[in-house]
Amino acid sequence: MKHIWGMMAAGAWLALSAPVLADVKTGVDAWQQGDYAKAIREWRPLAQAGDPDAQFNMGQAYKLGRGVQADLSTAIDWYRKATAQGHLRAEDNLGLLMFQQGDRAGAMSYLQRASMRGEPRAQYIVGTALFNGDLVGKDWVRAYALMSRAAASGLAQASTSLTQMDKYIPEDQRRQGLAMAANMDQGKGATFAAADQAPVRAAPASVPTAQLPASTPPAARTAAPAPKPATPRPQVAAATPPRPALPRPSASGGWRVQLGAFGAEANARALWSRLTGKVSGLSAYQPFLVKAGAVTRLQAGPIASSADASRLCIRIKAAGADCMPKKS
């Protein structure tokens, strides 16, 4: 996929770890008040003594250039030290920063683990690599699964890439990928925190987020590598594209999505009203109120294929609602 790697530098957001030790918290408090130099004075001795949260915070400070001169190599060193002690947010950021700095092969093992924890940017990178067969073996089913999860999280680049993948990946492999994505979502659990959030084991206090500076000049990010002749590569624009529309309704489609079952028809109608306000494009579908005894099932359609129904469900689930493809 052309231009796809450079896009990860834009719009990546990072936050400092919340503290476990009181002195780390003192540094976080100072950071929140804009006293970055004091934060560094609090964290540096703790980081040098081996505290993984302080090490992670030092990595963030060197990445953002607050309280210290920005130095991405030093940031990587601090992330690596925290990662060696099992700090998962440090590992996520280590992989992303190594990749942005050009060490794509070295970053891939970290990114693969981050992608399985649910980090959307890592899912985007690993999904792209699996699709193209770059750095890892080609696996279109897993690529589609990871890209689906990244798209469902709201990552615009992933939504665009997923649409391009539809042109190349056979329908049966897309269905397998969607099933794998659903299993990933179920197995992720409620303890996942993205790379730009505080560690699970930390206290709830946090430092405000700041945008990740671009790691390469704009000209380098927009230069397109020559495609490999044997590998079809979807074209992805360097600028962040708009989120693609939902699959279009099909008058002759034999599929629907089921959104819930209710004892009162009014509740089904109320859910439809809420969802059409939250999921852009959903109002283009026809709502069906299917009676089964005392139960009213809310369905939407018609939809052309099971793959389109599954993709629609991913978008609906991302809005916080239940959804299940169903043959009409």
Side-chain angles (χ1 to χ4, degrees):
M1 298 180 182
K2 294 183 179 180
H3 308 301
I4 204 163
W5 306 123
M7 293 169 61
M8 295 308 299
W13 294 79
L14 301 173
L16 293 172
S17 166
V20 173
L21 299 179
D23 288 336
V24 180
K25 183 182 186 306
T26 301
V28 173
D29 291 341
W31 183 279
Q32 291 175 326
Q33 296 168 11
D35 191 346
Y36 305 125
K38 180 179 178 180
I40 297 300
R41 288 197 301 271
E42 295 290 338
W43 292 333
R44 189 182 296 279
L46 295 170
Q48 291 172 339
D51 181 271
D53 287 310
Q55 290 171 340
F56 177 57
N57 288 354
M58 289 296 293
Q60 299 289 72
Y62 274 102
K63 171 183 279 295
L64 300 172
R66 295 182 181 176
V68 291
Q69 186 71 30
D71 187 331
L72 298 182
S73 295
T74 301
I76 287 175
D77 288 342
W78 282 120
Y79 287 147
R80 198 183 300 277
K81 290 175 181 177
T83 296
Q85 299 192 72
H87 199 295
L88 300 183
R89 301 289 72 77
E91 182 174 66
D92 293 350
N93 283 291
L94 175 61
L96 290 166
L97 185 54
M98 288 175 63
F99 192 89
Q100 292 164 18
Q101 289 298 99
D103 187 3
R104 298 174 180 175
M108 191 53 60
S109 61
Y110 300 120
L111 292 172
Q112 286 177 309
R113 288 191 289 273
S115 72
M116 296 309 297
R117 285 192 291 269
E119 213 299 321
R121 287 163 288 166
Q123 291 173 332
Y124 172 70
I125 294 174
V126 176
T128 300
L130 289 166
F131 176 80
N132 287 329
D134 291 339
L135 306 173
V136 293
K138 186 181 296 186
D139 185 338
W140 279 6
V141 171
R142 194 167 198 82
Y144 201 78
L146 289 172
M147 200 64 72
S148 295
R149 293 305 312 140
S153 75
L155 192 65
Q157 302 100 310
S159 294
T160 300
S161 294
L162 195 65
T163 300
Q164 297 295 326
M165 284 181 175
D166 287 342
K167 301 176 182 178
Y168 299 92
I169 300 179
E171 183 176 351
D172 63 327
Q173 293 187 36
R174 297 202 303 270
R175 285 199 301 268
Q176 293 174 47
L178 290 169
M180 183 181 293
N183 289 334
M184 290 177 180
D185 190 40
Q186 292 171 2
K188 183 179 66 178
T191 59
F192 169 72
D196 55 355
Q197 297 175 336
V200 174
R201 64 190 179 90
S206 62
V207 173
T209 58
Q211 188 170 8
L212 171 67
S215 58
T216 55
R221 294 200 305 274
T222 56
K228 297 178 182 178
T231 305
R233 294 171 184 256
Q235 306 297 305
V236 179
T240 300
R243 188 167 180 139
L246 293 171
R248 294 181 179 179
S250 171
S252 59
W255 285 83
R256 298 177 185 175
V257 293
Q258 182 162 304
L259 307 175
F262 305 87
E265 181 178 318
N267 292 337
R269 294 184 182 276
L271 176 61
W272 178 252
S273 179
R274 290 197 303 272
L275 286 179
T276 53
K278 294 173 66 176
V279 182
S280 176
L282 182 59
S283 59
Y285 292 85
Q286 178 182 345
F288 294 89
L289 299 176
V290 181
K291 298 288 187 177
V295 174
T296 299
R297 293 187 174 92
L298 174 61
Q299 299 177 357
I303 304 170
S305 67
S306 61
D308 280 349
S310 296
R311 287 184 57 202
L312 176 56
C313 274
I314 286 177
R315 292 286 298 276
I316 293 170
K317 288 179 178 179
D322 290 331
C323 184
M324 177 178 66
K326 192 173 184 65
K327 186 76 171 176
S328 59

